[in-house]
Amino acid sequence: MTKSKFNLGAFTGRTAKRLILYIILFSVLITILSSALQLYVEYQDEVGQIEQQIEQIQNSHLDGIAHYVELNNPVQLQLLIDGLVKLPDIERISIIVQDRVLQRAGGVVSDRVIDTKFLLYPLDPSKAREPSGTLHLVAGLDPLYERLKQKIWFILVATAVKTFLIAAFILLLFQYLVTRHLNKISQYAHNLTLNGHAPALTLDRMPARRGEVDELDTVVTALNEMQTRLAQELRLREEAEFDSRTSREQLAHMDRVTSMEEIASSIAHEINQPLTAIATYAQAALRSHKDDERIPSDLQKALEKITEQALRAGEVIRTIRQFISKQSSSRSEIGVKALLTSTSHLLETLGSQYKVSLVQGVADERLTVIGDLVQLQQVLFNLLRNAMEASPAESAIEIWVEESAHESDDRVSIRIRDRGCGIGSEAAKEIFTPFFTTKKEGMGMGLAICKTIVDAHNGELRFSANEFGGCDFTMLLPQGDKLDAKPEAKSGAKLESDQGAVS
Ligand SMILES: Nc1ncnc2c1ncn2[C@@H]1O[C@H](COP(=O)(O)OP(=O)(O)O)[C@@H](O)[C@H]1O
Ligand SMILES: [Mg+2]
């Protein structure tokens, strides 16, 4: 809805009312003062004109009148004063000789008058300088007052009209230049939201030129800055709240993980005993009935399988216990093949859960790395688990082991390649940061721990995207001496064939 630029509501506002009142009061005061001054000056002017007229009568006609009085010529006298009484504002002229009115013209009608008397002297210088009579002039001031009164009315009406027009004009200007913007500002402040997407406040006016910023521009800038700052503060606060919530959840998770480790450790211990017993009994049964023909060959095979599987289960449990037991780090030469095999044991259940297969490609089975077996198992375990979690079902995860491509570089490269969803460029910057995770249930510690362990081994952990859209994680570790013909002597683990499917 678009609002008219002129909103009548603006005229009923308190500021508008006060503005009108002040304009009118001030205008009335100024009008009264200036009119009074003007009237006073005009009054003085007009009274001056009347006095000038009287003075002119004195200068031009006093001698003539004295002459006719001397000649005792009443006709001429009457003619003369009849002419003079017609002059403006002169109301009555009388000639008084020996306290008696000799001639008179006109009559006094005004309440306020200027009353002037001139003595008449004989013109003949030989005669005594005794006055022969008096000329009595009465000028009326009422017409003058009447004129001034009319003028006052005119001034008052004109001023009222002028004041009204100016007040209306100022109000319109005020509404156009100020009130409508104030309304918009207050509406904006009223609807202010701090979601950070609110558009900035702009006023419907010409953009300010540089150096010509006025109060409204300053208010708008301040409001916009305030909105941005508040939104920022709110975002920071929300992030801090989120962080602290996440940290609490992570602590709780850590706590659960630690308890799980203890539980798993004791379960492994408990299960190991019966497994050993199963293997021992199965082996004993096999031995004691080895050449007994009464025992069907199926049963013998079953006993062999029982022994084999019990030993295998025992090996898995032994690896798990080793993996979760808190040991101080030690360095030894570890056969990479043994490292891979023991880690695969750990991953067996996960592999079948995710329905992925592990494919190993070891360039030289005699390769060894210098490090801590349990810690390196942990690194491989984490990398492979991430790969499994990212991979689609029925896909393969490859583990390639070879000597580092650079001749000067005496390291072994273990590369884990998956065909999973890959890592976006934004996430790629963060993956080694503790607690960075994109998984709902993830803790985001796996890669951070891997990196710490590999760094502590003077190694390197690298990440790159591969041509299948998945990820390659490459671990470079210091190379140990190659195993001799009897690898078991060093690693204590049996080597498997190149291709070992887990699931
Ligand atoms: N092989 C992989 N493929 C795709 N994304 C991966 C892979 N490995 C790690 N990531 C990404 O790195 C993040 C951090 O991994 P990690 O530190 O192991 O924590 P978590 O597995 O608990 O999320 C994962 O959440 C995931 O987004
Ligand atoms: Mg992980």
Side-chain angles (χ1 to χ4, degrees):
M1 197 180 79
T2 49
K3 268 194 174 175
S4 148
K5 284 181 180 179
F6 293 99
N7 170 11
L8 275 182
F11 297 101
T12 55
R14 205 156 65 97
T15 315
K17 276 184 192 156
R18 279 165 62 179
L19 187 72
I20 296 178
L21 188 70
Y22 289 146
I23 291 173
I24 290 174
L25 282 180
F26 186 69
S27 178
V28 165
L29 184 74
I30 294 291
T31 310
I32 289 174
L33 287 178
S34 68
S35 308
L37 187 71
Q38 191 182 344
L39 287 177
Y40 177 73
V41 170
E42 277 187 27
Y43 172 79
Q44 290 289 332
D45 194 38
E46 293 223 11
V47 169
Q49 277 176 23
I50 294 174
E51 282 171 352
Q52 239 178 15
Q53 209 157 29
I54 293 172
E55 206 181 303
Q56 214 172 342
I57 293 174
Q58 182 196 6
N59 291 339
S60 316
H61 301 287
L62 203 61
D63 286 353
I65 292 170
H67 180 64
Y68 290 129
V69 169
E70 219 176 315
L71 293 179
N72 201 8
N73 187 342
V75 180
Q76 283 300 325
L77 270 178
Q78 193 60 44
L79 269 175
L80 189 61
I81 62 174
D82 278 350
L84 290 176
V85 89
K86 283 185 185 132
L87 288 171
D89 300 317
I90 304 293
E91 289 189 353
R92 192 183 67 192
I93 301 179
S94 335
I95 295 165
I96 298 156
V97 176
Q98 290 168 357
D99 296 334
R100 203 170 50 83
V101 177
L102 186 65
Q103 299 292 327
R104 173 184 291 160
V108 177
V109 283
S110 294
D111 294 336
R112 281 148 295 206
V113 294
I114 298 176
D115 198 325
T116 322
K117 284 182 177 146
F118 297 108
L119 291 175
L120 300 166
Y121 290 99
L123 296 179
D124 188 352
S126 61
K127 293 211 172 139
R129 292 294 293 162
E130 283 292 312
S132 53
T134 312
L135 175 69
H136 189 186
L137 279 176
V138 178
L141 292 180
D142 280 8
L144 164 63
Y145 280 104
E146 202 50 42
R147 280 198 301 278
L148 291 181
K149 233 191 265 172
Q150 274 174 8
K151 212 162 215 166
I152 286 177
W153 276 115
F154 178 77
I155 290 174
L156 284 181
V157 172
T159 310
V161 171
K162 189 179 75 188
T163 309
F164 174 78
L165 289 178
I166 290 181
F169 181 65
I170 290 178
L171 270 179
L172 281 178
L173 269 187
F174 191 71
Q175 153 67 6
Y176 182 74
L177 295 176
V178 180
T179 317
R180 70 190 178 104
H181 298 310
L182 287 180
N183 283 343
K184 188 165 182 195
I185 291 173
S186 72
Q187 235 166 38
Y188 180 81
H190 188 72
N191 301 330
L192 195 67
T193 55
L194 300 178
N195 59 12
H197 306 301
L201 170 64
T202 46
L203 297 182
D204 179 18
R205 63 204 302 240
M206 300 266 280
R209 270 187 257 144
R210 216 179 322 145
E212 282 187 1
V213 174
D214 64 8
E215 294 82 351
L216 281 175
D217 295 319
T218 317
V219 170
V220 168
T221 314
L223 250 170
N224 283 335
E225 282 175 4
M226 183 190 82
Q227 200 245 9
T228 317
R229 267 203 312 276
L230 281 177
Q232 260 170 6
E233 291 282 328
L234 194 75
R235 205 171 48 247
L236 286 178
R237 182 178 278 204
E238 278 171 0
E239 277 171 14
E241 268 171 21
F242 178 77
D243 284 353
S244 85
R245 206 169 44 238
T246 319
S247 305
R248 277 201 305 277
E249 283 165 7
Q250 280 157 355
L251 272 178
H253 189 203
M254 282 284 222
D255 189 46
R256 283 200 301 277
V257 169
T258 316
S259 327
M260 279 309 294
E261 279 173 0
E262 280 161 15
I263 293 167
S265 176
S266 62
I267 289 175
H269 178 75
E270 294 300 327
I271 289 178
N272 209 25
Q273 310 283 339
L275 275 177
T276 316
I278 291 169
T280 315
Y281 284 126
Q283 276 172 331
L286 255 181
R287 263 198 309 275
S288 55
H289 299 288
K290 203 172 179 201
D291 301 318
D292 192 341
E293 291 189 353
R294 288 168 302 164
I295 303 293
S297 62
D298 286 358
L299 190 58
Q300 290 222 355
K301 278 210 180 97
L303 281 172
E304 278 167 17
K305 283 263 183 240
I306 289 173
T307 315
E308 195 185 297
Q309 292 301 320
L311 285 175
R312 185 169 155 76
E315 178 65 17
V316 170
I317 286 188
R318 195 185 62 78
T319 320
I320 291 174
R321 284 186 67 190
Q322 208 177 21
F323 181 64
I324 58 183
S325 63
K326 296 186 179 76
Q327 293 172 340
S328 56
S329 146
S330 63
R331 294 281 180 275
S332 59
E333 284 179 359
I334 303 159
V336 282
K337 194 71 188 153
L339 175 63
L340 296 189
T341 309
S342 56
T343 313
S344 319
H345 280 147
L346 290 167
L347 282 157
E348 272 179 11
T349 37
L350 272 185
S352 52
Q353 184 186 327
Y354 287 104
K355 297 194 175 55
V356 291
S357 53
L358 284 187
V359 180
Q360 298 177 11
V362 182
D364 183 346
E365 295 200 349
R366 296 170 305 151
L367 284 175
T368 64
V369 291
I370 299 172
D372 181 297
L373 176 67
V374 175
Q375 289 184 353
L376 294 181
Q377 277 176 341
Q378 193 176 354
V379 174
L380 271 180
F381 179 88
N382 277 327
L383 294 178
L384 287 167
R385 193 165 75 168
N386 279 345
M388 287 179 180
E389 284 169 349
S391 294
E394 314 302 338
S395 67
I397 294 168
E398 296 160 22
I399 311 172
W400 298 105
V401 183
E402 58 197 351
E403 284 176 78
S404 175
H406 300 286
E407 278 176 20
S408 57
D409 194 359
D410 199 12
R411 293 196 285 188
V412 173
S413 143
I414 303 175
R415 170 169 307 162
I416 290 158
R417 161 167 295 186
D418 65 54
R419 288 168 165 72
C421 53
I423 298 178
S425 57
E426 277 306 305
K429 294 180 202 152
E430 306 249 33
I431 49 170
F432 293 114
T433 312
F435 300 117
F436 171 79
T437 181
T438 55
K439 297 170 194 164
K440 203 163 165 240
E441 300 291 324
M443 189 159 56
M445 283 303 290
L447 287 180
I449 290 173
C450 289
K451 190 159 168 42
T452 315
I453 292 177
V454 175
D455 287 349
H457 278 72
N458 295 326
E460 228 179 288
L461 182 59
R462 292 177 187 165
F463 153 77
S464 60
N466 61 35
E467 68 261 38
F468 308 107
C471 301
D472 279 1
F473 278 92
T474 309
M475 174 164 53
L476 291 164
L477 290 169
Q479 194 175 156
D481 291 340
K482 287 199 177 156
L483 295 172
D484 54 25
K486 288 186 175 171
E488 292 88 352
K490 268 193 175 172
S491 67
K494 193 171 149 286
L495 282 179
E496 290 183 1
S497 67
D498 261 12
Q499 303 268 313
V502 167
S503 63

PDB file of all heavy atoms in Angstrom, residues 200-218:
ATOM      1  N   ALA A 200      17.677  -2.364   4.810  1.00  0.00           N
ATOM      2  CA  ALA A 200      18.087  -1.147   5.512  1.00  0.00           C
ATOM      3  C   ALA A 200      17.014  -0.079   5.320  1.00  0.00           C
ATOM      4  O   ALA A 200      16.272  -0.086   4.342  1.00  0.00           O
ATOM      5  CB  ALA A 200      19.414  -0.671   4.956  1.00  0.00           C
ATOM      6  N   LEU A 201      16.924   0.820   6.278  1.00  0.00           N
ATOM      7  CA  LEU A 201      15.932   1.902   6.203  1.00  0.00           C
ATOM      8  C   LEU A 201      16.388   2.950   5.188  1.00  0.00           C
ATOM      9  O   LEU A 201      17.538   3.393   5.220  1.00  0.00           O
ATOM     10  CB  LEU A 201      15.803   2.549   7.593  1.00  0.00           C
ATOM     11  CG  LEU A 201      15.010   3.834   7.657  1.00  0.00           C
ATOM     12  CD1 LEU A 201      13.551   3.603   7.290  1.00  0.00           C
ATOM     13  CD2 LEU A 201      15.088   4.461   9.032  1.00  0.00           C
ATOM     14  N   THR A 202      15.489   3.298   4.270  1.00  0.00           N
ATOM     15  CA  THR A 202      15.796   4.397   3.353  1.00  0.00           C
ATOM     16  C   THR A 202      14.597   5.333   3.344  1.00  0.00           C
ATOM     17  O   THR A 202      13.467   4.879   3.479  1.00  0.00           O
ATOM     18  CB  THR A 202      16.018   3.907   1.911  1.00  0.00           C
ATOM     19  OG1 THR A 202      14.966   2.998   1.600  1.00  0.00           O
ATOM     20  CG2 THR A 202      17.347   3.222   1.723  1.00  0.00           C
ATOM     21  N   LEU A 203      14.858   6.619   3.179  1.00  0.00           N
ATOM     22  CA  LEU A 203      13.766   7.594   3.157  1.00  0.00           C
ATOM     23  C   LEU A 203      13.502   8.010   1.716  1.00  0.00           C
ATOM     24  O   LEU A 203      14.401   7.999   0.882  1.00  0.00           O
ATOM     25  CB  LEU A 203      14.129   8.815   3.999  1.00  0.00           C
ATOM     26  CG  LEU A 203      14.341   8.531   5.484  1.00  0.00           C
ATOM     27  CD1 LEU A 203      14.649   9.818   6.215  1.00  0.00           C
ATOM     28  CD2 LEU A 203      13.125   7.862   6.107  1.00  0.00           C
ATOM     29  N   ASP A 204      12.241   8.377   1.478  1.00  0.00           N
ATOM     30  CA  ASP A 204      11.835   8.767   0.132  1.00  0.00           C
ATOM     31  C   ASP A 204      12.229  10.229  -0.106  1.00  0.00           C
ATOM     32  O   ASP A 204      11.384  11.123  -0.072  1.00  0.00           O
ATOM     33  CB  ASP A 204      10.315   8.570   0.045  1.00  0.00           C
ATOM     34  CG  ASP A 204       9.795   8.962  -1.310  1.00  0.00           C
ATOM     35  OD1 ASP A 204      10.605   9.047  -2.236  1.00  0.00           O
ATOM     36  OD2 ASP A 204       8.571   9.185  -1.425  1.00  0.00           O
ATOM     37  N   ARG A 205      13.508  10.454  -0.278  1.00  0.00           N
ATOM     38  CA  ARG A 205      13.980  11.813  -0.517  1.00  0.00           C
ATOM     39  C   ARG A 205      15.247  11.759  -1.357  1.00  0.00           C
ATOM     40  O   ARG A 205      15.850  10.701  -1.496  1.00  0.00           O
ATOM     41  CB  ARG A 205      14.249  12.551   0.802  1.00  0.00           C
ATOM     42  CG  ARG A 205      15.350  11.917   1.624  1.00  0.00           C
ATOM     43  CD  ARG A 205      15.274  12.215   3.105  1.00  0.00           C
ATOM     44  NE  ARG A 205      15.311  13.599   3.440  1.00  0.00           N
ATOM     45  CZ  ARG A 205      16.238  14.179   4.204  1.00  0.00           C
ATOM     46  NH1 ARG A 205      17.230  13.468   4.693  1.00  0.00           N
ATOM     47  NH2 ARG A 205      16.178  15.444   4.486  1.00  0.00           N
ATOM     48  N   MET A 206      15.627  12.917  -1.860  1.00  0.00           N
ATOM     49  CA  MET A 206      16.823  12.956  -2.715  1.00  0.00           C
ATOM     50  C   MET A 206      18.033  12.487  -1.907  1.00  0.00           C
ATOM     51  O   MET A 206      18.171  12.860  -0.746  1.00  0.00           O
ATOM     52  CB  MET A 206      17.082  14.401  -3.153  1.00  0.00           C
ATOM     53  CG  MET A 206      15.932  14.988  -3.924  1.00  0.00           C
ATOM     54  SD  MET A 206      16.190  14.777  -5.659  1.00  0.00           S
ATOM     55  CE  MET A 206      17.316  16.102  -5.973  1.00  0.00           C
ATOM     56  N   PRO A 207      18.895  11.670  -2.512  1.00  0.00           N
ATOM     57  CA  PRO A 207      20.085  11.254  -1.764  1.00  0.00           C
ATOM     58  C   PRO A 207      20.960  12.459  -1.411  1.00  0.00           C
ATOM     59  O   PRO A 207      21.112  13.372  -2.227  1.00  0.00           O
ATOM     60  CB  PRO A 207      20.803  10.316  -2.738  1.00  0.00           C
ATOM     61  CG  PRO A 207      20.155  10.501  -4.051  1.00  0.00           C
ATOM     62  CD  PRO A 207      18.840  11.161  -3.865  1.00  0.00           C
ATOM     63  N   ALA A 208      21.487  12.419  -0.189  1.00  0.00           N
ATOM     64  CA  ALA A 208      22.281  13.562   0.277  1.00  0.00           C
ATOM     65  C   ALA A 208      23.604  13.632  -0.480  1.00  0.00           C
ATOM     66  O   ALA A 208      24.220  12.600  -0.737  1.00  0.00           O
ATOM     67  CB  ALA A 208      22.542  13.413   1.761  1.00  0.00           C
ATOM     68  N   ARG A 209      23.962  14.852  -0.859  1.00  0.00           N
ATOM     69  CA  ARG A 209      25.282  14.991  -1.471  1.00  0.00           C
ATOM     70  C   ARG A 209      26.335  14.967  -0.379  1.00  0.00           C
ATOM     71  O   ARG A 209      26.018  15.179   0.788  1.00  0.00           O
ATOM     72  CB  ARG A 209      25.344  16.318  -2.244  1.00  0.00           C
ATOM     73  CG  ARG A 209      24.885  16.107  -3.668  1.00  0.00           C
ATOM     74  CD  ARG A 209      25.103  17.343  -4.476  1.00  0.00           C
ATOM     75  NE  ARG A 209      23.848  18.038  -4.660  1.00  0.00           N
ATOM     76  CZ  ARG A 209      23.723  19.357  -4.692  1.00  0.00           C
ATOM     77  NH1 ARG A 209      24.768  20.115  -4.537  1.00  0.00           N
ATOM     78  NH2 ARG A 209      22.568  19.923  -4.870  1.00  0.00           N
ATOM     79  N   ARG A 210      27.565  14.685  -0.782  1.00  0.00           N
ATOM     80  CA  ARG A 210      28.608  14.576   0.235  1.00  0.00           C
ATOM     81  C   ARG A 210      28.744  15.907   0.989  1.00  0.00           C
ATOM     82  O   ARG A 210      28.723  16.974   0.401  1.00  0.00           O
ATOM     83  CB  ARG A 210      29.941  14.195  -0.387  1.00  0.00           C
ATOM     84  CG  ARG A 210      30.678  13.262   0.576  1.00  0.00           C
ATOM     85  CD  ARG A 210      31.995  12.767   0.135  1.00  0.00           C
ATOM     86  NE  ARG A 210      32.102  12.441  -1.269  1.00  0.00           N
ATOM     87  CZ  ARG A 210      33.232  12.654  -1.931  1.00  0.00           C
ATOM     88  NH1 ARG A 210      34.245  13.198  -1.340  1.00  0.00           N
ATOM     89  NH2 ARG A 210      33.312  12.315  -3.190  1.00  0.00           N
ATOM     90  N   GLY A 211      28.817  15.801   2.299  1.00  0.00           N
ATOM     91  CA  GLY A 211      28.960  17.012   3.110  1.00  0.00           C
ATOM     92  C   GLY A 211      27.644  17.701   3.371  1.00  0.00           C
ATOM     93  O   GLY A 211      27.604  18.741   4.013  1.00  0.00           O
ATOM     94  N   GLU A 212      26.514  17.133   2.833  1.00  0.00           N
ATOM     95  CA  GLU A 212      25.228  17.786   3.048  1.00  0.00           C
ATOM     96  C   GLU A 212      24.286  16.903   3.844  1.00  0.00           C
ATOM     97  O   GLU A 212      23.078  16.948   3.669  1.00  0.00           O
ATOM     98  CB  GLU A 212      24.587  18.105   1.701  1.00  0.00           C
ATOM     99  CG  GLU A 212      25.183  19.309   1.047  1.00  0.00           C
ATOM    100  CD  GLU A 212      24.430  19.714  -0.201  1.00  0.00           C
ATOM    101  OE1 GLU A 212      23.427  19.058  -0.530  1.00  0.00           O
ATOM    102  OE2 GLU A 212      24.853  20.677  -0.820  1.00  0.00           O
ATOM    103  N   VAL A 213      24.871  16.082   4.682  1.00  0.00           N
ATOM    104  CA  VAL A 213      24.063  15.165   5.471  1.00  0.00           C
ATOM    105  C   VAL A 213      23.331  15.943   6.560  1.00  0.00           C
ATOM    106  O   VAL A 213      23.939  16.754   7.248  1.00  0.00           O
ATOM    107  CB  VAL A 213      24.993  14.105   6.114  1.00  0.00           C
ATOM    108  CG1 VAL A 213      24.224  13.238   7.058  1.00  0.00           C
ATOM    109  CG2 VAL A 213      25.629  13.282   5.022  1.00  0.00           C
ATOM    110  N   ASP A 214      22.006  15.740   6.660  1.00  0.00           N
ATOM    111  CA  ASP A 214      21.268  16.474   7.686  1.00  0.00           C
ATOM    112  C   ASP A 214      20.880  15.545   8.844  1.00  0.00           C
ATOM    113  O   ASP A 214      21.293  14.392   8.895  1.00  0.00           O
ATOM    114  CB  ASP A 214      20.052  17.177   7.084  1.00  0.00           C
ATOM    115  CG  ASP A 214      19.048  16.175   6.541  1.00  0.00           C
ATOM    116  OD1 ASP A 214      19.250  14.972   6.774  1.00  0.00           O
ATOM    117  OD2 ASP A 214      18.076  16.595   5.893  1.00  0.00           O
ATOM    118  N   GLU A 215      20.043  16.087   9.751  1.00  0.00           N
ATOM    119  CA  GLU A 215      19.710  15.333  10.963  1.00  0.00           C
ATOM    120  C   GLU A 215      18.994  14.022  10.628  1.00  0.00           C
ATOM    121  O   GLU A 215      19.244  12.983  11.251  1.00  0.00           O
ATOM    122  CB  GLU A 215      18.800  16.167  11.885  1.00  0.00           C
ATOM    123  CG  GLU A 215      19.453  17.397  12.466  1.00  0.00           C
ATOM    124  CD  GLU A 215      19.460  18.589  11.512  1.00  0.00           C
ATOM    125  OE1 GLU A 215      19.112  18.416  10.322  1.00  0.00           O
ATOM    126  OE2 GLU A 215      19.829  19.687  11.939  1.00  0.00           O
ATOM    127  N   LEU A 216      18.099  14.076   9.630  1.00  0.00           N
ATOM    128  CA  LEU A 216      17.358  12.856   9.279  1.00  0.00           C
ATOM    129  C   LEU A 216      18.309  11.791   8.747  1.00  0.00           C
ATOM    130  O   LEU A 216      18.204  10.611   9.106  1.00  0.00           O
ATOM    131  CB  LEU A 216      16.294  13.161   8.225  1.00  0.00           C
ATOM    132  CG  LEU A 216      15.023  13.811   8.767  1.00  0.00           C
ATOM    133  CD1 LEU A 216      14.099  14.189   7.624  1.00  0.00           C
ATOM    134  CD2 LEU A 216      14.305  12.885   9.718  1.00  0.00           C
ATOM    135  N   ASP A 217      19.254  12.214   7.902  1.00  0.00           N
ATOM    136  CA  ASP A 217      20.235  11.246   7.376  1.00  0.00           C
ATOM    137  C   ASP A 217      21.021  10.623   8.524  1.00  0.00           C
ATOM    138  O   ASP A 217      21.298   9.422   8.541  1.00  0.00           O
ATOM    139  CB  ASP A 217      21.220  11.932   6.416  1.00  0.00           C
ATOM    140  CG  ASP A 217      20.506  12.433   5.177  1.00  0.00           C
ATOM    141  OD1 ASP A 217      19.636  11.710   4.681  1.00  0.00           O
ATOM    142  OD2 ASP A 217      20.794  13.550   4.736  1.00  0.00           O
ATOM    143  N   THR A 218      21.386  11.467   9.505  1.00  0.00           N
ATOM    144  CA  THR A 218      22.161  10.966  10.638  1.00  0.00           C
ATOM    145  C   THR A 218      21.355   9.926  11.417  1.00  0.00           C
ATOM    146  O   THR A 218      21.870   8.880  11.801  1.00  0.00           O
ATOM    147  CB  THR A 218      22.529  12.129  11.579  1.00  0.00           C
ATOM    148  OG1 THR A 218      22.930  13.219  10.779  1.00  0.00           O
ATOM    149  CG2 THR A 218      23.628  11.754  12.520  1.00  0.00           C
TER     150      THR A 218
END
